[in-house]
Amino acid sequence: MKISLTQKYNVPGPRYTSYPTVPYWNEANFTSEKWTASFQKAFLESNSENGISLYIHLPFCESMCTFCGCNKRITKNHSVEETYIKAVLKEWSLYCKLLPEKPLIKEIHLGGGTPTFFSTNNLEHLINGIFSYANKAPDYEFSFEGHPNNTTYEQLQKLYNLGFRRVSFGVQDYAEKVQKAIHRIQPFHNVAKVTFWAKEIGYTSIGHDIIFGLPYQTIENVVDTIEKTNSLKPDRLAFYSYAHVPWIKGNGQRGFNEENLPKDAEKRKLYEIGKQLLSQNGYHEIGMDHFALTSDSLYKAAQNKKMHRNFMGYSASKTQLMIGLGVSSISDSWYSFAQNTKNLEDYYQLLEWDKIPVVKGHILNEEDLIIRKHILNLTCQLETSWNSNSLYFKEIDAVLENLEEIENDGLIIIEEGKLIITEAGRPFVRNICMAFDLHLKRKSPETNLFSMTV
């Protein structure tokens, strides 16, 4: 019996928000002193020309969504807001004390958790506190994630006044049965309301996040969700494959059983139907899992081959240095990665001791930097080349050997030192990246680390 490409390539694999991926970081070779030297070097190389990016993790949620794999703290006690913001601003001040001049901030992204858990006044205090140590870059882009159930008009207006022009709302799926299974009850009316508010206020890029492969999800559910989404016409969409990783400590993915999840070809059909509907409604697929209207900045960046990908996801602009603030946040200097402690109490304690709360990381070697460029090329431009000295590496022949079957299946074209991902290969970008992942090739995981690729 012939198996489908989906069945063939649906294997555990990384999502490649970084290379090397977090499980393959060499923590033994990492120190906070090395991280300090690395981000200072990156700052000197890039601040005056491009500015830097800030990712701020706001971890609090009022209830647990059982599809979520993010670092979060469940509470209805909003008195935690002020303590947390004070800590984040303390962390930012510690970074700024190590810099020779005020940073120019090109990007801010508020992620979570639920950023709109925080009151309007506290969000304003956070952003004003950030800019007591910094200036805005001329072409800045600030964005945040909003929960449709608790995002208020006042929050949207205040963040707009502070310079935010992009907002993304988590939708997932509109079917009541699916929402109950993932513990995310969210009527269409709530999503429509915040979307219209954002348009009325003047946000220039409004995004919706949709997930396929959720428990009990059917083709009819996906069609209904996308039709409702199209009626609101967000500027961009993330259409993600559900990442089922119930083995991660503290993960909430236990509100349903394995047999409730659509599998292999059934799951892939949800994506293909969704993709077809999005295309019919003017959305263009860019990179992995993302779609945008031609008027959106991410589409234009993709067309001009200027799209970038980091721990914040896809971006229309590129900065060399991204500093992650808040519990569990990851920073990136290009030369190294550093992650804050995931424990909230430890985060507070380290800051009380005037220590940047980084607890692990990775210093990229020359090989890592080359492979990282190839992974970024594949995920952002759907092609890469090893013709130049800066992108050539000695294991390329072994990589090409591993790609032979993928090439025979029509997913890629290899010619004259160049690899191009075909239209048929788009769903399998992660599998193609895995062939370049030398850390993964040298040491396969012995336990569950990654969700399925398709």
Side-chain angles (χ1 to χ4, degrees):
M1 179 179 171
K2 186 177 180 180
I3 64 171
S4 68
L5 290 177
T6 299
Q7 291 172 306
K8 182 176 182 179
Y9 291 109
N10 192 24
V11 297
R15 296 215 161 191
Y16 291 110
T17 48
S18 74
Y19 182 83
T21 56
V22 176
Y24 288 96
W25 285 2
N26 183 353
E27 295 180 43
N29 189 41
F30 179 85
T31 64
S32 58
E33 291 77 18
K34 287 181 180 180
W35 163 242
T36 298
S38 179
F39 89 77
Q40 287 175 322
K41 177 184 177 183
F43 180 83
L44 290 172
E45 291 176 348
S46 62
N47 181 61
S48 60
E49 183 177 349
N50 295 317
I52 71 169
S53 298
L54 284 186
Y55 171 76
I56 305 175
H57 190 72
L58 302 174
F60 301 110
C61 300
E62 287 196 343
S63 64
M64 172 77 81
C65 300
T66 57
F67 68 90
C68 178
C70 300
N71 181 281
K72 64 267 180 187
R73 178 68 66 95
I74 308 301
T75 181
K76 294 184 183 294
N77 177 15
H78 283 261
S79 66
V80 299
E81 294 180 33
E82 292 181 11
T83 302
Y84 188 77
I85 287 175
K86 181 181 177 182
V88 168
L89 293 177
K90 171 71 175 291
E91 182 185 3
W92 176 231
S93 73
L94 293 175
Y95 270 109
C96 290
K97 286 175 184 176
L98 296 170
L99 300 175
E101 60 188 26
K102 274 192 171 185
L104 284 175
I105 298 181
K106 187 171 185 177
E107 290 183 304
I108 293 178
H109 183 70
L110 307 181
T114 307
T116 48
F117 173 97
F118 288 74
S119 71
T120 303
N121 287 341
N122 282 330
L123 289 171
E124 181 179 27
H125 176 53
L126 171 63
I127 302 305
N128 285 340
I130 293 293
F131 284 103
S132 66
Y133 299 98
N135 295 317
K136 294 177 183 175
D139 54 348
Y140 66 87
E141 183 178 277
F142 300 165
S143 60
F144 72 97
E145 298 165 12
H147 193 315
N149 285 356
N150 65 16
T151 300
T152 66
Y153 190 94
E154 184 184 25
Q155 286 172 323
L156 286 164
Q157 184 66 66
K158 179 58 68 177
L159 287 170
Y160 181 88
N161 293 346
L162 291 167
F164 286 74
R165 295 293 182 269
R166 187 162 69 81
V167 57
S168 61
F169 296 113
V171 173
Q172 324 327 337
D173 188 285
Y174 286 115
E176 186 177 348
K177 186 174 185 179
V178 175
Q179 289 188 356
K180 284 182 178 178
I182 63 176
H183 201 233
R184 175 78 172 229
I185 307 301
Q186 185 170 273
F188 172 70
H189 169 77
N190 289 0
V191 181
K193 179 175 64 178
V194 293
T195 300
F196 287 133
W197 280 348
K199 289 184 177 184
E200 178 185 311
I201 289 167
Y203 282 80
T204 55
S205 182
I206 300 166
H208 286 186
D209 293 346
I210 302 171
I211 298 178
F212 67 92
L214 290 168
Y216 304 110
Q217 196 176 44
T218 65
I219 289 174
E220 289 75 18
N221 298 150
V222 170
V223 170
D224 179 65
T225 294
I226 289 180
E227 286 180 347
K228 285 184 168 71
T229 299
N230 185 56
S231 72
L232 302 179
K233 216 64 179 181
D235 301 281
R236 66 176 72 167
L237 289 162
F239 189 36
Y240 291 115
S241 168
Y242 165 59
H244 189 59
V245 286
W247 55 83
I248 293 179
K249 186 178 180 180
N251 199 312
Q253 298 180 18
R254 292 176 177 83
F256 41 86
N257 297 319
E258 293 277 346
E259 59 265 26
N260 304 138
L261 298 171
K263 302 287 194 306
D264 296 332
E266 179 189 2
K267 180 180 178 181
R268 198 65 209 168
K269 195 169 184 180
L270 298 178
Y271 174 79
E272 295 299 339
I273 292 289
K275 176 182 173 180
Q276 181 182 355
L277 286 173
L278 291 171
S279 178
Q280 290 171 0
N281 288 301
Y283 290 95
H284 297 263
E285 187 175 22
I286 49 178
M288 298 186 296
D289 316 318
H290 283 69
F291 295 78
L293 298 174
T294 56
S295 56
D296 191 73
S297 61
L298 199 61
Y299 173 82
K300 295 172 183 176
Q303 291 298 105
N304 296 325
K305 297 190 181 298
K306 291 185 176 179
M307 192 165 66
H308 184 55
R309 181 172 172 82
N310 56 28
F311 286 101
M312 297 190 291
Y314 282 111
S315 171
S317 58
K318 179 180 179 181
T319 58
Q320 181 177 332
L321 177 60
M322 184 188 79
I323 294 177
L325 302 176
V327 64
S328 79
S329 284
I330 297 178
S331 299
D332 176 3
S333 71
W334 181 257
Y335 306 111
S336 63
F337 300 114
Q339 184 168 26
N340 286 351
T341 177
K342 295 181 179 181
N343 181 277
L344 187 59
E345 287 69 32
D346 290 347
Y347 176 73
Y348 289 148
Q349 184 61 73
L350 287 166
L351 289 166
E352 281 288 317
W353 292 337
D354 291 335
K355 292 184 178 180
I356 292 174
V358 163
V359 293
K360 71 175 184 177
H362 179 85
I363 307 298
L364 282 79
N365 59 32
E366 185 177 348
E367 178 189 272
D368 291 338
L369 290 168
I370 292 173
I371 301 301
R372 183 180 188 186
K373 290 176 185 175
H374 285 293
I375 299 287
L376 281 170
N377 288 343
L378 291 167
T379 56
C380 295
Q381 300 175 19
L382 302 175
E383 61 181 44
T384 194
S385 170
W386 47 93
N387 281 321
S388 68
N389 289 335
S390 63
L391 285 171
Y392 180 81
F393 58 105
K394 62 183 180 180
E395 288 86 354
I396 185 61
D397 290 337
V399 169
L400 294 177
E401 190 175 324
N402 287 340
L403 286 165
E404 281 182 5
E405 195 166 355
I406 290 177
E407 185 181 20
N408 291 336
D409 284 330
L411 307 183
I412 58 174
I413 297 169
I414 298 175
E415 55 184 29
E416 298 178 358
K418 185 175 185 179
L419 182 154
I420 301 168
I421 298 174
T422 65
E423 186 64 30
R426 278 180 173 268
F428 308 101
V429 174
R430 293 186 180 92
N431 302 81
I432 298 162
C433 290
M434 286 167 69
F436 282 81
D437 190 337
L438 299 183
H439 288 279
L440 186 65
K441 284 174 64 178
R442 289 167 185 155
K443 186 180 179 182
S444 297
E446 296 177 357
T447 58
N448 290 325
L449 289 180
F450 305 115
S451 60
M452 304 301 277
T453 54
V454 182

